[in-house]
Amino acid sequence: MADVLLSCAFVNLKPGVGKTTSAVWLAHALYELGLPPLLVDSDPAGSALRWSELSGGFPFPVIALPVGDVHRRIDDFLGGRQAVVLDAPQLEDHARVARSVMRHANEWIVPVTPAPIELDRMAPIQTEMSDVQSLRAEPARTAVLLNRTNRPDATRTGPDSDAREVLAERGFDVLDTQIARLDLYAQSFGGPVRVQKTAYIDLANELLKRQEGV
């Protein structure tokens, strides 16, 4: 793999958990912080690429790569960029593609809504991640991003706090940044992304600091 500072993939077993929204907003945050990324849409649905088209284009390249050898092809598109954000398809339907994405990325992020049904799905995700780690020369960092939370910041009580506790007990690293349930994000598909002063700037900074600690 080329000398990339951050290669981040959003992964989950299921669709509809906010992978594409998070990937697009994080890519814009990295751009805003002076680290223009390559955004890789590996979901056959092509939502990230379509979003870029509808909005008149993002200020960084977006490529569609819904193939089973993503990890072998990405270097051909980097062009010296130090950041890559990958929108992976759901593992349950497109395991080969999603696993290839995970073989490339050095940071795997699992967006999770703090609800019991979502937390219950985390055990099979752990199994998938363990299987892919065995295929890598070096282990990837893994983290959970609490998404569609009741509050914008972490609290000591309430559903968000309970979810953090459950996930930590199960061995997951939960990011400090969390993404609140806001129309700003939920209704943003197809439009321009204005990322200043949002949680995704905080997320980008947190991920970069994590990478510095490798």
Side-chain angles (χ1 to χ4, degrees):
M1 186 171 71
D3 187 18
V4 174
L5 177 64
L6 177 65
S7 178
C8 171
F10 288 90
V11 300
N12 205 300
L13 286 179
K14 302 280 185 179
V17 296
K19 296 191 306 297
T20 298
T21 299
S22 292
V24 168
W25 278 79
L26 175 63
H28 278 82
L30 290 169
Y31 177 84
E32 191 70 22
L33 293 174
L35 196 65
L38 171 68
L39 177 57
V40 180
D41 187 347
S42 288
D43 192 331
S47 298
L49 184 62
R50 180 59 176 159
W51 188 338
S52 177
E53 293 170 348
L54 291 172
S55 67
F58 293 159
F60 44 81
V62 184
I63 62 169
L65 212 57
V67 294
D69 60 347
V70 177
H71 61 290
R72 295 191 182 99
R73 297 196 188 191
I74 285 182
D75 285 356
D76 295 336
F77 301 94
L78 279 175
R81 293 177 185 275
Q82 290 191 293
V84 185
V85 179
L86 301 105
D87 182 16
Q90 62 267 25
L91 277 156
E92 66 176 3
D93 296 323
H94 304 285
R96 185 164 176 262
V97 177
R99 283 173 167 237
S100 182
V101 167
M102 294 166 70
R103 289 182 69 176
H104 179 276
N106 55 29
E107 182 90 45
W108 302 343
I109 300 179
V110 185
V112 175
T113 301
I117 189 171
E118 298 297 332
L119 298 177
D120 190 54
R121 294 172 176 165
M122 296 304 290
I125 291 174
Q126 270 183 314
T127 300
E128 289 283 354
M129 291 194 297
S130 178
D131 288 347
V132 180
Q133 292 281 30
S134 68
L135 302 175
R136 296 175 53 93
E138 297 180 1
R141 285 177 172 268
T142 65
V144 170
L145 172 66
L146 286 184
N147 190 33
R148 301 168 184 164
T149 60
N150 296 308
R151 298 181 181 179
D153 301 309
T155 58
R156 294 185 178 181
T157 59
D160 303 346
S161 176
D162 293 344
R164 285 181 177 276
E165 183 176 347
V166 169
L167 290 163
E169 289 174 351
R170 296 180 184 178
F172 287 99
D173 186 6
V174 185
L175 294 168
D176 292 334
T177 306
Q178 61 186 45
I179 309 299
R181 187 187 299 274
L182 297 173
D183 284 346
L184 173 66
Y185 308 130
Q187 304 299 325
S188 60
F189 175 80
V193 174
R194 296 179 176 86
V195 76
Q196 298 90 343
K197 298 182 180 179
T198 70
Y200 283 98
I201 290 287
D202 297 334
L203 176 60
N205 278 318
E206 183 174 359
L207 294 175
L208 290 170
K209 287 180 182 177
R210 281 167 59 87
Q211 195 60 29
E212 291 170 1
V214 173

